[in-house]
């Protein structure tokens, strides 16, 4: 919003004298007002918001607060409006020092102080990020520059024990509950009730199991006094770098939080504008420039929160009669739900008899899901070939049937260690694929407990194949390991398979997957189950 120019040379508070002519009968409720000087604002282009009136000249923007009380903020007194102007300039100079030029005093013709206004340099509208996106421009370079600027900005932002509390689980739960209360009047009318209910359920479930992750973020100093309102409409992409305007200045509680919540706001807004690729580029660039190590699930949670808060605002605008606001509210709610579904932390347990393809399925599932952790326990019948990303626990290394049966025990080698590894990943917001031949109910209970305690969705997958196919696979695999050649089925192979089958307990709520199909088909079937 604010263009280049220097005719008034306003660089300090108060700036050189100017004159304002605020029209009689305006929303501000003033008649003829002066600031003792030569510039009259009465004929200027104006933009009105719920809290301000902006007067636009060729090279300046003059922002005057309305004397309103909106409940969450009050500008009834001149002193409150002055403080708001001064805070706006001070805080926004952190990201746009050459745009926020100062605070001007408004006096009447008798020289009496009447009010105050923020004086800004006007920026070219064509370089607004939102306009670039709407025009179909390739904004890759621009969003990378914005990410770099924000990464440096967040490192400079204030933090303290008090500020860090804003990133705790209790505070985040309170924010989500407040957002759900705000949307409740529109549930079942503007918004589909099942959508609203699923958003609330998924958000609170995620927070239940993520206390260690949030504490880790707090201790690392990732909760800061940031911007709080990163919208594409308020970012200008100039040749010498971006200018980010209009941070929240009336209530610091709405400005403090995890730096990831700050950048998630702009990612959400880019997605809302129909530029999900630009949003992804921006988030990846921020991770690169900031050295961030957050799990993708936390990113999804914060994007969903920003979308849900904007859902409420869109609902209110619809209630006030704004055309198209109801459709925007539903689009924003859909964005929130989509990201919360992606944020779900899952523990996928892949098991089955020897030779049924558990390792192949588990590896393909983990590799196809980006940041998933693959944990594998050696198949006592000779399983091998797991990917380099696999984290192994010690397990039986013999193909003998007796060894396979012993591994089924709860106390089998490496079992507790593997579950603990899974638990550590789950509480950090990482989903896990467990590849392990655990046939006993006792073992299943141990895994189920870990999922329940960490708020993870437990999915049990059982690989199945005809016995002759499975045994042939075991024989071939063992022969390749021993000599690098093919092999015929042996009585020992059959004995190992039968011993395993004897010990295998069918799991409750288990999804059977036929692994005689092509690997791609089996993996796609598994993804449909996992969701």
């Amino acid at each position: 919003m604010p263009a280049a120019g220097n005719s008034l040379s306003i660089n300090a508070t108060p700036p050189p004298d100017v004159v304002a002519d605020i029209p009689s009968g305006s929303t501000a409720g003033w008649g003829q007002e002066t600031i003792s000087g030569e510039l009259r604002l009465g004929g200027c282009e104006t933009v009105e918001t719920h809290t301000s009136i902006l007067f636009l000249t060729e090279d300046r923007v003059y922002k005057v607060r309305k004397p309103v009380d909106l409940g969450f903020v009050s500008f009834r007194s001149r002193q409150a409006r002055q403080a708001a102007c001064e805070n706006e300039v001070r805080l926004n100079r952190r990201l746009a020092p050459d745009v926020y030029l100062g605070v001007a005093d408004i006096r009447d013709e008798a020289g009496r102080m009447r009010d105050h206004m923020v004086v800004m340099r006007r920026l070219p509208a064509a370089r607004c990020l939102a306009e670039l996106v709407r025009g179909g421009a390739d904004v890759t370079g621009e969003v990378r520059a914005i990410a770099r600027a924000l990464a440096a900005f967040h490192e400079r932002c204030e933090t303290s024990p008090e500020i860090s509390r804003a990133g705790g689980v209790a505070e985040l739960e309170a924010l989500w509950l407040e957002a759900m209360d705000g949307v409740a009047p529109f549930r079942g009318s503007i918004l589909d009730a099942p959508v609203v209910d699923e958003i609330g359920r998924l958000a609170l479930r995620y927070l239940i199991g993520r206390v260690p992750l949030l504490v880790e973020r707090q201790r690392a100093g990732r909760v800061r006094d940031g911007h709080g309102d990163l919208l594409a409409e308020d970012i200008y992409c100039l040749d010498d770098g971006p200018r980010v305007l209009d941070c929240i200045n009336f209530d610091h509680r709405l400005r403090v939080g995890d730096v990831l919540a700050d950048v998630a706001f702009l990612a959400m807004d880019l997605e809302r504008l129909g530029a999900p690729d630009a949003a992804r580029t921006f988030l990846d660039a921020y991770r690169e420039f900031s050295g961030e190590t957050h799990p993708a699930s936390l990113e999804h949670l914060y994007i969903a929160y920003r979308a849900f808060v904007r859902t409420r605002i869109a609902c209110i605008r619809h209630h006030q009669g704004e055309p198209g606001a109801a459709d925007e509210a539903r689009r924003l709610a859909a964005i929130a739900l989509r990201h919360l579904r992606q944020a779900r932390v899952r523990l996928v347990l892949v098991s089955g008899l020897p030779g049924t393809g558990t390792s192949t399925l588990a590896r393909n599932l983990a590799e196809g899901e980006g940041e998933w952790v693959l944990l594998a326990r050696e198949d006592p019948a000779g399983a091998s070939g797991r990917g380099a990303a696999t984290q192994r626990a010690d397990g039986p290394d013999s193909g003998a049937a007796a060894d396979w049966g012993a591994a089924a025990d709860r106390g089998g080698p490496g079992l507790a260690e593997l579950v603990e590894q899974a638990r550590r990943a789950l509480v950090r917001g990482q989903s896990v694929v467990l590849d392990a031949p655990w046939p006993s109910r006792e073992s299943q209970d141990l895994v189920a407990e870990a999922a329940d305690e960490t708020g993870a969705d437990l999915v049990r997958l059982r690989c199945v194949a005809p016995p002759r196919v499975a045994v042939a696979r075991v024989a071939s695999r063992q022969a390749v390991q021993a000599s690098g050649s093919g092999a015929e089925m042996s009585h020992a192979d059959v004995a190992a398979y039968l011993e395993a089958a004897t010990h295998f307990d069918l799991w409750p709520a288990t999804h059977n997957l036929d692994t005689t199909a092509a690997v791609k088909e089996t993996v796609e079937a598994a993804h449909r189950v996992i969701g």
Side-chain angles (χ1 to χ4, degrees):
M1 179 182 300
N6 242 353
S7 59
L8 296 178
S9 301
I10 299 176
N11 296 304
T13 304
D17 289 342
V18 293
V19 172
D21 181 8
I22 301 177
S24 179
S26 71
T27 307
W30 292 310
Q32 177 81 10
E33 304 286 313
T34 65
I35 315 179
S36 67
E38 300 177 357
L39 176 66
R40 293 192 171 272
L41 301 178
C44 291
E45 175 188 356
T46 60
V47 175
E48 188 169 344
T49 72
H50 58 296
T51 60
S52 305
I53 300 177
L54 286 74
F55 298 88
L56 281 62
T57 68
E58 181 180 354
D59 59 357
R60 292 288 184 269
V61 175
Y62 301 93
K63 183 175 181 179
V64 181
R65 290 290 197 286
K66 296 177 183 177
V68 296
D69 185 348
L70 301 180
F72 64 91
V73 62
S74 175
F75 297 137
R76 285 292 188 186
S77 70
R78 180 180 64 78
Q79 290 77 11
R81 295 192 294 276
Q82 180 180 16
C85 289
E86 292 171 349
N87 281 336
E88 179 174 0
V89 170
R90 176 179 60 83
L91 291 167
N92 281 291
R93 279 179 171 172
R94 296 179 300 171
L95 279 165
D98 60 343
V99 175
Y100 287 81
L101 303 177
V103 178
D105 297 329
I106 302 176
R107 301 178 183 274
D108 62 21
E109 292 179 336
R112 293 187 295 266
M113 185 76 71
R114 295 298 303 273
D115 223 303
H116 312 273
M117 63 182 181
V118 173
V119 183
M120 303 168 65
R121 179 164 70 98
R122 188 174 183 181
L123 301 177
R127 299 307 302 167
C128 171
L129 178 60
E131 289 302 311
L132 293 172
V133 171
R134 291 190 188 104
D138 180 359
V139 294
T140 300
E142 285 80 1
V143 297
R144 283 185 59 82
I146 294 165
R148 184 190 293 273
L150 289 174
F153 165 69
H154 284 144
E155 286 303 310
R156 300 191 305 267
C157 286
E158 180 185 0
T159 188
S160 68
E162 180 182 0
I163 289 173
S164 290
R165 279 195 289 273
V169 66
E171 287 73 14
L172 292 181
E173 283 182 351
L175 288 175
W176 273 102
L177 291 172
E178 180 182 350
M180 285 185 277
D181 286 344
V183 166
F186 311 104
R187 177 184 175 276
S189 54
I190 300 174
L191 303 173
D192 291 340
V195 170
V196 174
D197 294 345
E198 187 176 357
I199 286 172
R201 179 181 62 81
L202 290 176
L204 295 180
R205 178 170 174 77
Y206 181 90
L207 292 173
I208 287 172
R210 253 33 76 201
V211 173
L213 170 62
L214 298 175
V215 169
E216 178 183 306
R217 302 282 297 172
Q218 290 172 304
R219 289 175 176 170
R222 305 316 293 158
V223 183
R224 305 229 165 190
D225 185 340
H227 186 282
D229 198 26
L230 284 169
L231 292 170
E233 296 282 358
D234 298 322
I235 299 176
Y236 291 80
C237 305
L238 307 184
D239 291 342
D240 60 346
R243 304 297 192 277
V244 182
L245 314 182
D246 207 21
C247 78
I248 291 178
N249 59 79
F250 56 85
D251 187 345
H252 83 281
R253 293 173 300 176
L254 302 178
R255 198 173 58 243
V256 300
D258 195 308
V259 294
L260 185 56
D262 226 13
V263 298
F265 207 138
L266 180 54
M268 177 279 298
D269 202 39
L270 288 169
E271 191 169 336
R272 178 188 67 85
L273 290 169
D277 290 344
R280 184 70 263 157
T281 298
F282 167 67
L283 290 168
D284 290 344
Y286 183 82
R287 185 189 288 264
E288 173 189 344
F289 295 130
S290 66
E292 272 284 320
T293 58
H294 59 264
S297 64
L298 187 61
E299 196 173 89
H300 289 302
L301 176 83
Y302 281 127
I303 292 174
Y305 174 71
R306 294 304 194 181
F308 199 49
V309 170
R310 300 296 293 186
T311 299
R312 176 190 181 186
I313 294 172
C315 288
I316 293 172
R317 294 206 313 266
H318 168 76
H319 187 69
Q320 294 171 341
E322 182 176 324
D327 288 339
E328 182 179 358
R330 287 186 283 269
R331 285 195 302 272
L332 286 163
I335 291 173
L337 181 55
R338 182 167 64 252
H339 280 282
L340 283 171
R341 286 173 174 171
Q342 290 177 280
R344 287 183 304 139
V345 177
R346 284 156 286 183
L347 174 55
V348 179
L349 205 50
V350 181
S351 189
L353 296 174
T356 56
T358 59
S359 297
T360 299
L361 176 62
R363 183 174 63 251
N364 278 273
L365 287 176
E367 290 175 353
E369 292 291 341
E371 294 187 4
W372 282 49
V373 174
L374 173 59
L375 300 174
R377 187 178 184 201
E378 291 291 0
D379 182 342
S384 64
R386 296 175 171 94
T390 304
Q391 299 179 32
R392 302 178 182 227
D394 293 335
D397 55 12
S398 170
D403 287 336
W404 202 96
D409 239 352
R410 176 175 181 142
L415 177 59
E417 178 186 348
L418 202 61
V419 172
E420 185 55 34
Q421 289 178 21
R423 193 189 307 272
R424 287 197 297 267
L426 294 168
V427 297
R428 289 201 74 259
Q430 296 173 293
S431 289
V432 174
V433 175
L434 276 181
D435 167 18
W438 291 342
S440 73
R441 287 294 182 92
E442 194 174 7
S443 300
Q444 299 162 27
D445 292 343
L446 191 64
V447 177
E449 287 171 10
D452 185 60
E453 291 171 5
T454 58
D457 295 345
L458 176 59
V459 181
R460 299 179 175 96
L461 301 178
R462 182 186 181 217
C463 296
V464 296
R468 184 169 183 83
V469 172
V471 174
R473 287 173 177 172
V474 172
S476 176
R477 189 169 56 206
Q478 290 177 337
V480 168
Q481 291 174 342
S483 64
S485 61
E488 296 181 356
M489 192 183 310
S490 70
H491 292 297
D493 301 326
V494 175
Y497 178 87
L498 292 176
E499 175 68 12
T502 301
H503 286 84
F504 199 97
D505 283 341
L506 289 180
W507 296 358
T510 298
H511 300 274
N512 290 338
L513 294 173
D514 182 0
T515 59
T516 60
V519 172
K520 181 180 178 182
E521 294 179 19
T522 305
V523 172
E524 289 175 350
H527 278 303
R528 288 193 291 272
V529 173
I530 296 169

